[in-house]
Amino acid sequence: GKWHMGVNCKSRHDHCHHPLNHGFDYFYGMPFSLLNECQGTHDPQLAKSLQDTYWLYTQMIILAVLTLLFGKLTNLFPVKWKIIICLAICGLLYFLSWFSSYGFTKYWNCILMRNHDITEQPMNLEKTTSNMLKEAVSFIERNKHRPFLLFFSLLHVHTPLITTKKFQGRSRHGPYGDNVEEMDWMVGKWLLDAIDKEGLKNTTLIYFASDHGGSLEARRGNTQLGGWNGIYKGGKGMGGWEGGIRVPGIIRWPGVLPAGTVINEPTSLMDIFPTVVHLAGGEVPQDRIIDGRSLLPLLRGTAQHSGHEFMFHYCGVFLHAVRWHQKDSGIIWKAHYATPVFQPEASGACFGRGICPCFGDGVTHHDPPLLFDLSQDPSEENALSADTEPLFDTVTRRIREAVEEHRKTLTPVPQQLSPYNNIWKPWLQPCCGTFPFCWCDEENNKA
């Protein structure tokens, strides 16, 4: 499925960030993110405001060149040909420099890979999900006689909401609802049915979850494309508010876990790692701090509480909020050290920016932190203070101590999400042909 962790470090073929270089034995999917540009029928999504600015400057340069050219040809004002030619060349280079990054996104970003080989560039979105599902079913069939780990990251419930005609208009909630219903059908009729068909139902743990809450800024006109977060404030891209990070998890393991059990404990997607290690009979590394906790005691009922006392919620590399699950009282405190600035102010989202930033003038820092009692106020509407909460100072001090302890366990690494690392680098571009002629369709050729 969608890997979105990058591919190369120094050359087009080093594959340093590729799944096969990080523990996986087989990979089929797209290495980058899914964008509107992949479909090519909607407004561009990638740095849209930046693209508009670049295009405005390009138009200004074109206008300047045409003005000088007109003045030269009509003798309205003296200007040397060298100046006109230099300005025209500089303008062309400026245009090519930014357009190569954004104008060819469909060809640079929207590619399909099998292991190290590119099979489609650009990929055919109408067939991509079904191709991925067929690969997943084939993987299950090939590995049914031995333990296996299948990680499937669906392209569904993500803009541009690729939905087949069979499901378009079926829900009462527009394109997003249609997409959710098709995803539900795909998981059930393809993946779960394959598990059941191979007789693996009672011996296979299945964990279904999302990596973040609904994207509030994803809209087309008045149509909401990014889901809904119910009573929870905020959404995707917001590292602290509940709407951005609180998602349900659905677990199926009929041979071990009773159906219908509801566990209302805060866990983390980082818990998948130690859980899988324990299921496989291994031990997590002892030479470093592992942030995840095995879910097995909680699932099997041998533990009543999550293994997490404190959870640290980041936006990029910036700590935005900390959750303290106070075991003796059952209270869940949440302290916000930074919150995004909503645009418009009371909208609950960053419509003016398209996505909320993690730092700079796009966030508000809080000292003392905003404190909420999530057990009483899950919507995070009423911030507590020393005047309204007798335990305010005690709680904020304990959370501050936990942050200090947590930071001692961190090892700084180069900033991978820096502007320099986000710009397009031709020498790193995966290409199935002779660069820059990167077009191929091995999927159809194989069929």
Side-chain angles (χ1 to χ4, degrees):
K2 182 162 74 78
W3 175 243
H4 199 177
M5 299 288 283
V7 179
N8 302 314
C9 287
K10 295 181 179 178
S11 73
R12 188 171 296 137
H13 304 292
D14 65 27
H15 298 126
C16 71
H17 296 306
H18 193 281
L20 298 194
N21 206 35
H22 289 274
F24 288 92
D25 301 308
Y26 181 83
F27 171 67
Y28 182 79
M30 63 179 306
F32 305 123
S33 186
L34 183 62
L35 300 161
N36 284 345
E37 283 88 338
C38 293
Q39 196 169 36
T41 57
H42 302 304
D43 290 337
Q45 180 179 349
L46 187 65
K48 186 179 185 306
S49 60
L50 198 60
Q51 288 187 63
D52 292 341
T53 302
Y54 287 154
W55 180 235
L56 175 63
Y57 290 159
T58 301
Q59 290 175 310
M60 291 171 64
I61 294 171
I62 293 172
L63 182 61
V65 171
L66 291 176
T67 301
L68 292 175
L69 185 62
F70 178 78
K72 177 69 174 179
L73 295 175
T74 58
N75 293 318
L76 282 177
F77 45 84
V79 60
K80 294 181 179 180
W81 280 110
K82 282 185 179 180
I83 295 177
I84 298 175
I85 294 171
C86 285
L87 185 60
I89 292 173
C90 290
L92 180 62
L93 291 174
Y94 173 77
F95 170 73
L96 291 175
S97 67
W98 71 263
F99 191 78
S100 60
S101 296
Y102 301 113
F104 295 104
T105 299
K106 185 173 182 177
Y107 296 91
W108 300 152
N109 246 51
C110 310
I111 63 179
L112 199 59
M113 298 182 76
R114 180 180 283 104
N115 293 325
H116 289 147
D117 300 321
I118 298 171
T119 61
E120 275 189 357
Q121 189 171 9
M123 63 186 188
N124 182 345
L125 281 184
E126 294 180 358
K127 298 180 180 179
T128 297
T129 298
S130 62
N131 286 340
M132 289 180 180
L133 286 164
K134 290 173 186 175
E135 288 281 342
V137 171
S138 174
F139 178 84
I140 293 169
E141 293 171 348
R142 294 197 307 271
N143 293 278
K144 61 185 177 183
H145 296 301
R146 60 179 182 176
F148 64 82
L149 169 68
L150 170 64
F151 172 64
F152 196 130
S153 182
L154 286 150
L155 302 186
H156 272 55
V157 197
H158 189 292
T159 53
L161 298 179
I162 310 143
T163 309
T164 61
K165 291 182 180 179
K166 178 181 177 182
F167 280 88
Q168 289 176 9
R170 280 189 44 165
S171 79
R172 293 178 297 169
H173 300 283
Y176 185 84
D178 298 345
N179 205 246
V180 170
E181 290 201 10
E182 183 169 44
M183 178 186 66
D184 178 63
W185 175 80
M186 287 174 165
V187 170
K189 291 299 291 182
W190 283 79
L191 300 179
L192 298 189
D193 279 6
I195 293 288
D196 297 351
K197 176 187 171 186
E198 300 300 338
L200 303 173
K201 181 176 181 178
N202 290 335
T203 56
T204 304
L205 171 68
I206 296 168
Y207 184 16
F208 179 87
S210 175
D211 56 344
H212 52 67
S215 175
L216 302 179
E217 291 87 1
R219 291 173 177 263
R220 188 182 305 146
N222 293 322
T223 303
Q224 173 69 20
L225 300 179
W228 180 61
N229 298 314
I231 66 170
Y232 303 112
K233 182 180 291 187
K236 175 183 177 179
M238 303 183 205
W241 293 121
E242 290 292 278
I245 55 181
R246 183 193 284 241
V247 295
I250 304 173
I251 293 175
R252 189 185 84 154
W253 196 3
V256 178
L257 306 177
T261 303
V262 177
I263 299 174
N264 188 23
E265 286 287 304
T267 62
S268 165
L269 289 184
M270 290 188 289
D271 297 339
I272 294 174
F273 171 61
T275 302
V276 168
V277 169
H278 288 163
L279 282 171
E283 291 186 4
V284 297
Q286 301 298 310
D287 61 343
R288 72 205 73 174
I289 299 296
I290 300 297
D291 293 303
R293 302 286 185 271
S294 175
L295 294 171
L296 296 182
L298 202 58
L299 296 176
R300 286 173 167 156
T302 58
Q304 299 304 310
H305 294 292
S306 163
H308 296 278
E309 182 179 6
F310 292 93
M311 299 177 79
F312 304 91
H313 303 300
Y314 282 81
C315 185
V317 299
F318 301 94
L319 181 66
H320 273 210
V322 180
R323 182 188 313 260
W324 180 22
H325 191 195
Q326 200 172 354
K327 298 295 195 308
D328 54 352
S329 67
I331 297 175
I332 301 178
W333 304 99
K334 179 101 155 293
H336 288 262
Y337 292 97
T339 55
V341 177
F342 294 144
Q343 295 177 330
E345 187 175 346
S347 64
C350 299
F351 294 111
R353 293 177 181 263
I355 188 169
C356 290
C358 298
F359 63 97
D361 62 357
V363 301
T364 301
H365 294 276
H366 304 283
D367 186 14
L370 296 179
L371 184 68
F372 297 93
D373 177 359
L374 295 184
S375 47
Q376 299 294 325
D377 182 20
S379 299
E380 299 174 284
E381 293 291 344
N382 304 302
L384 303 172
S385 66
D387 295 329
T388 60
E389 174 54 62
L391 296 175
F392 181 87
D393 291 332
T394 302
V395 171
T396 54
R397 182 173 62 253
R398 179 66 189 96
I399 292 176
R400 185 171 63 251
E401 291 170 354
V403 170
E404 292 172 359
E405 294 167 11
H406 164 69
R407 283 182 169 150
K408 292 176 183 177
T409 70
L410 303 179
T411 302
V413 297
Q415 169 60 287
Q416 295 181 357
L417 295 176
S418 66
Y420 172 76
N421 285 320
N422 270 316
I423 63 172
W424 180 63
K425 298 181 176 72
W427 58 93
L428 298 182
Q429 177 64 51
C431 182
C432 60
T434 301
F435 185 83
F437 305 104
C438 305
W439 293 276
C440 62
D441 189 359
E442 295 298 324
E443 296 296 325
N444 280 338
N445 293 343
K446 182 182 71 170

